Amino acid sequence: MQSGEAACKSTGPNMERLMSQYQQADSAAAASLVEFLSPQLHRFFADQMGSRADAEDMLQDVWLRIHRVRHTYRPGEPLLPWVYAIARRVRVDHYRKRQRIGSRESAVEVLPEHSASKDEGHNLPTFEDLVASLPEGQREVLTMLKVNELSLEEVAHATSSTVGAVKQKAHRAYQRLRSLLEQSQFAPHAHKGVAK
Amino acid sequence: MTCRDIDERMSSAPGNPVRTQEAIEHLVKCQDCRALMSVVYEHGQPEALPEIQLNRIQARITEDLRPVRPLPPSRFFLFACAIIFFCIVAIGAAPFGMNGWGSLSMLQKMGVFATIVASAGLLTVSIVGQMVPGNRCTLAPAALPIEILTVLVIVLVAAFRPREEQTFVASGLVCMKNGLTYSIPAALLIWLLVRRGAILYPKLIGAAIGGLAGLIGLTVLEINCSNLNVFHILVWHWGVVLLSSMAGASLGAAVEYVGGGTSVQSPKSADL
C-alpha cells in the first residue's frame, strides 16, 4: 500500500486515493486529508455561519463525523460531494443548536456577523457581506460553487439535488447579488479588474 | 450574450469565465455583470488554519485508526430489502388462507399489487440512496412518502367500491392490528440493515422505512382480508402505511433532535 504522501501529485492531492488509504488505516493519508480539506471546509462554515469560532467548532465536528462514517465512502466515487454532504448536516445541526440556545436565553443573532463597515475605503462590499444576505439555499450553492470550487455535478450530489436545481439557485443568487449591488449604489465603481 | 448566459458560465466554469471574447464584449456593456464578477471573483483565498488546530484534529482521528470495510454496493441493500419484503409477506400471508387474494378481481390484483411493488421499489431506492452521503438520488426523499401515499389512495379509490358494513370499527381494528404486527418487525429489520450507512437525515429515512414497512403490512392485509369495502381499505389498510410512515418520521425526528443537540459539543468532539 502506498503512503498518503505518495497520493499527492504536483498539482494537488488525489483526494479519492487518500480517502481509500484512510479507510485502510493509513494515518499519513488521514493527516493529509485533514490538511488539504480543512481550509476549504472552514471557509464553507465561516461563509455560512459568519463566525470564525463557530466555523472552528464545526470543522472539528465534521472531521469527527467523517471519521465515524468513513466506511460509507465508496472507493472510486468523487470525494467532495460525500464530504460536503456531511458538512451540510453539521451546519444544519449547529444552526439548530444555536437557535435552541437562543430561544432559551435571549434573541441571539444567528445570521452572519459580517459588517459592511469593515472594509471601509472599498467601493464594493465583500463577497462574504453580499453572500450573507442571500437565502440559505442560495448562499450554500454559491459558496460551494465559487468559494469551494465544486462543479455543478458535485454540488448537486452534495445537496441531494439536480444540476438543473443547482443552476437555478445559482442564477437566482446572481440576480439577487446584482440587485443588491445596484441598491447599494456600488455598481458605478465596480468595473475594476474584471475583464482580464 | 446576456446576463443569464454570464450566470450560466459562472456556474458551469470553475474559473473566471470572462476570458472568452463574447463574455468580454458583454461585460464592457453591462455594468451590473461587471460589479457582480468583481465581487464573486475577488474573494480571498481560504485563511490558513492554526497548525495547532489541525494537529489536534489529525491526532484525534489517527489515534484509534483501524481499517474499515467500505459499504457494500447499493444492489446488496436493494436485494436485502426485497428479501425482507417478500419473506415477511409470505410469513404473513401463508397461515391465513389468502382469502383476500381470492376475492379480488384480476384488475384489482394488478392495480393494487403493481402499485404496492412499484412504491416499495421506489422507497427502497430512496432509503439505500440516503445511506451514503452525497449519493445522487434523483428521488426527492421528503416528497416520496407523501407522493406514494397519495397514489395509493387514488388507486384504492379507483379499484374498490363502497359496501355496507356492520362492524366497521371492530373488524377494522383487527386489520389495523394485523397490519402493524407485520409492519413493526419489518421496520426493525430494515433499520438493522440501514444503520450500517451514514444516516444524515433520520426524519426522512425514518419516514421512508416506515412507509416501506407499512407497505409490507398493507400487502399482507390485501392478501388476507376479504373485505372489499373501499372505506375499510382506506381507513384500516392504507392507514397502516400512513401510521407507519408517521411513526418512522416521528422517531427519526426524535433522533434528529437529540443527535442535533448533542453532536456539536459531544465529549469526543470537545476532545479534538
Side-chain angles (χ1 to χ4, degrees):
Chain A
M1 188 176 68
Q2 286 178 292
S3 71
E5 285 89 349
C8 299
K9 295 175 184 171
S10 57
T11 52
N14 181 339
M15 307 273 190
E16 284 76 17
R17 207 160 117 198
L18 286 175
M19 188 65 204
S20 295
Q21 290 166 349
Y22 175 25
Q23 289 180 321
Q24 302 307 312
D26 181 341
S27 54
S32 301
L33 268 181
V34 171
E35 194 182 324
F36 287 116
L37 287 175
S38 291
Q40 54 171 307
L41 283 169
H42 184 268
R43 179 76 188 263
F44 172 74
F45 291 131
D47 280 356
Q48 300 290 307
M49 303 299 284
S51 148
R52 199 184 156 88
D54 283 343
E56 283 171 10
D57 279 351
M58 285 187 278
L59 184 64
Q60 292 186 6
D61 195 30
V62 79
W63 277 111
L64 191 74
R65 292 201 197 185
I66 285 172
H67 183 64
R68 211 183 293 146
V69 300
R70 64 191 186 280
H71 66 284
T72 64
Y73 170 74
R74 290 196 173 113
E77 294 285 315
L79 178 68
L80 289 180
W82 183 84
V83 168
Y84 277 90
I86 298 169
R88 283 183 85 215
R89 181 67 230 187
V90 168
R91 182 180 57 78
V92 169
D93 285 345
H94 193 89
Y95 181 81
R96 285 185 185 161
K97 184 169 176 283
R98 279 185 63 161
Q99 277 195 321
R100 251 180 257 157
I101 293 167
S103 66
R104 275 191 220 124
E105 293 170 355
S106 59
V108 178
E109 181 57 71
V110 289
L111 288 171
E113 296 158 7
H114 300 295
S115 123
S117 62
K118 72 180 177 189
D119 280 315
E120 279 173 26
H122 287 301
N123 291 326
L124 285 171
T126 64
F127 178 75
E128 289 78 10
D129 291 335
L130 280 174
V131 164
S133 61
L134 293 174
E136 196 182 311
Q138 293 176 15
R139 192 189 325 152
E140 180 181 70
V141 161
L142 204 62
T143 306
M144 284 187 186
L145 281 174
K146 306 320 295 181
V147 179
N148 304 119
E149 298 192 340
L150 269 66
S151 68
L152 282 168
E153 287 76 17
E154 287 173 330
V155 177
H157 280 243
T159 56
S160 307
S161 183
T162 60
V163 170
V166 172
K167 273 188 188 175
Q168 188 63 34
K169 272 187 187 167
H171 174 63
R172 286 188 186 144
Y174 295 138
Q175 277 185 320
R176 196 176 162 109
L177 291 185
R178 278 195 190 90
S179 75
L180 283 170
L181 284 164
E182 206 169 9
Q183 279 168 21
S184 317
Q185 296 182 326
F186 285 117
H189 313 284
H191 54 277
K192 53 179 180 179
V194 175
K196 292 170 188 167
Chain B
M1 178 168 272
T2 63
C3 298
R4 175 97 202 196
D5 296 328
I6 290 282
D7 289 358
E8 185 86 13
R9 289 194 179 201
M10 283 169 73
S11 299
S12 308
N16 191 329
V18 296
R19 290 186 179 86
T20 63
Q21 187 58 38
E22 48 186 352
I24 292 170
E25 280 169 14
H26 176 81
L27 288 172
V28 168
K29 288 181 280 183
C30 181
Q31 202 172 46
D32 286 352
C33 284
R34 283 202 304 270
L36 178 65
M37 293 193 66
S38 288
V39 170
V40 169
Y41 288 101
E42 287 183 3
H43 60 79
Q45 290 298 308
E47 280 178 71
L49 291 167
E51 202 161 318
I52 191 165
Q53 193 190 1
L54 288 182
N55 289 344
R56 249 184 287 156
I57 295 171
Q58 287 167 337
R60 177 66 186 87
I61 66 170
T62 54
E63 74 181 8
D64 64 340
L65 199 56
R66 282 185 301 249
V68 288
R69 193 187 304 165
L71 214 57
S74 297
R75 62 177 178 275
F76 167 84
F77 293 101
L78 293 172
F79 184 70
C81 284
I83 295 281
I84 291 171
F85 186 98
F86 289 111
C87 283
I88 294 187
V89 167
I91 290 166
F96 299 104
M98 297 169 69
N99 294 329
W101 180 263
S103 56
L104 292 175
S105 70
M106 185 53 74
L107 210 60
Q108 284 171 329
K109 280 177 193 163
M110 280 168 59
V112 172
F113 291 105
T115 308
I116 290 175
V117 170
S119 303
L122 290 173
L123 279 173
T124 308
V125 169
S126 172
I127 289 167
V128 172
Q130 289 180 64
M131 289 170 68
V132 178
N135 187 14
R136 191 177 201 168
C137 186
T138 47
L139 302 165
L144 189 64
I146 298 164
E147 287 165 357
I148 283 174
L149 282 165
T150 310
V151 169
L152 275 173
V153 167
I154 294 167
V155 170
L156 293 175
V157 167
F160 298 98
R161 295 282 169 269
R163 295 189 181 189
E164 190 136 338
E165 194 179 339
Q166 300 299 320
T167 56
F168 182 78
V169 175
S171 63
L173 283 174
V174 172
C175 277
M176 175 72 84
K177 192 185 115 222
N178 286 342
L180 291 175
T181 302
Y182 294 99
S183 292
I184 292 167
L188 289 173
L189 285 174
I190 299 165
W191 170 248
L192 285 176
L193 200 66
V194 164
R195 67 195 285 270
R196 292 194 61 196
I199 310 300
L200 295 183
Y201 299 92
K203 190 162 65 179
L204 295 182
I205 207 162
I209 291 173
L212 183 57
L215 286 174
I216 293 174
L218 175 67
T219 311
V220 172
L221 289 174
E222 290 309 315
I223 291 174
N224 285 333
C225 176
S226 56
N227 189 337
L228 302 184
N229 177 15
V230 68
F231 297 114
H232 172 87
I233 291 170
L234 276 181
V235 175
W236 306 109
H237 294 194
W238 179 83
V240 170
V241 188
L242 179 69
L243 211 63
S244 302
S245 299
M246 285 171 64
S250 306
L251 281 171
V255 169
E256 211 165 299
Y257 185 84
V258 174
T262 58
S263 61
V264 176
Q265 288 186 334
S266 64
K268 278 187 174 179
S269 177
D271 288 346
L272 274 172

